[in-house]
Amino acid sequence: MNDFLKLQGVRKMFGNSCVLDNVDLQIREGELVTLLGPSGCGKSTLLRCIAGLSELDGGSISLANKDLGKQPPRLREVGMVFQSYALFPNLTAGQNVEYGMKMRGLSKEARRRRCEELLALVDLEDKRDVYPQSLSGGQQQRVALARSLAVQPKVLLLDEPLSALDAKIRKNLRAEIRDIQKRLNMTTLFVTHDQEEALTVSDRICIMNKGRIVQEGTPESLYTEPRTEFIARFMGSYNVLTRPEVMALFGGIDSSAESFAIRPESVVLFNGRTVHQEDINGKTLVEGTIHSVSVLGNIIRCAVDTAGIRLTVDLLNDGCWLRVEEREKVTLALDPAQLLHLEREGA
Ligand code: ADP
Ligand code: MG
């Protein structure tokens, strides 16, 4: 087996409520796996269990074939970065990075050398003697990352490390984290509630809901094949349709599913242009009215009312699109092959 970090049947109770319900998770060496789920679904609790900050009520966790069960946190070879920067405010960036090494009795010279390497890795060579309050949020989080890597952990746990940062810094730092993770071949479990973040950084994503992993796969497979309504809604702006709605739009359906989904970018919209036959081959045509239009940068997102159903339709904002206007009559071409048949939750 090349599973490096392995969780089997992990359970955690707080009083009567089951916060982690039989969680199985395997991560290969060098892999970056993301836990994606809404607030309160148990992501932080799972990381705390791996780090040894929270005790298990059932199941087991092993790292590099060693059972972590009886190991205290400091012997687990796990590095952790939290949402709040959690740096020691009275220590400089360099002293923060050196802290763990000092606790482990590394020589001053060795600490200094390793600290320089790590600050260079996170692009903060010139901030060694600066105190946290004089660093930006993004810089503090890089120091936290360097500090967590200082003791050469076997696995890195990142608990929403970017959530407190501005959108632009968040995007830059997530690319840097991914880059560093690959360079070090660092086995990493990354937690977020942001689906875009999960899609961009991960080798694999595990979607969590109410203490359980409900679907796992590559970013591509989760985005294109959500199994349930919860996942379809969570992964993107899918149109989720009931069975009667699908009957109204497509005239019939060969499926016993009760719930369906279709992606906004897979619906073709026409407004008064000549309809090209190749655009509609095999598709179902329905008349609709534009309810609203919003420009999201490279995408124009329209809400279109048709057969009593409001559909989200995305158009590529490529400059050659005819203007779409509110209250305008349009035709939609829906491809039955693009309709996903969703499973019931918990099935
Ligand atoms: P997430 O990180 O996904 O937002 P958490 O793991 O922090 O979720 O919390 C999962 C659930 O466990 C929540 O309902 C939370 O209220 C509860 N919880 C977390 N920590 C404790 C605790 N120490 N005592 C009691 N309940 C807790
Ligand atoms: Mg959390």
Side-chain angles (χ1 to χ4, degrees), residues 14-15 17 19 37-46 159-160 191 208:
F14 283 121
S17 76
V19 172
S39 177
C41 74
K43 305 181 297 296
S44 294
T45 304
L46 192 63
D159 193 357
E160 311 216 25
V191 162
M208 248 183 119

Side-chain angles (χ1 to χ4, degrees), residues 264-283:
E265 65 270 30
S266 78
V267 179
V268 182
L269 183 151
F270 304 101
N271 63 350
R273 291 187 312 170
T274 322
V275 174
H276 297 293
Q277 194 57 41
E278 64 268 26
D279 287 339
I280 60 170
N281 273 346
K283 295 188 179 130

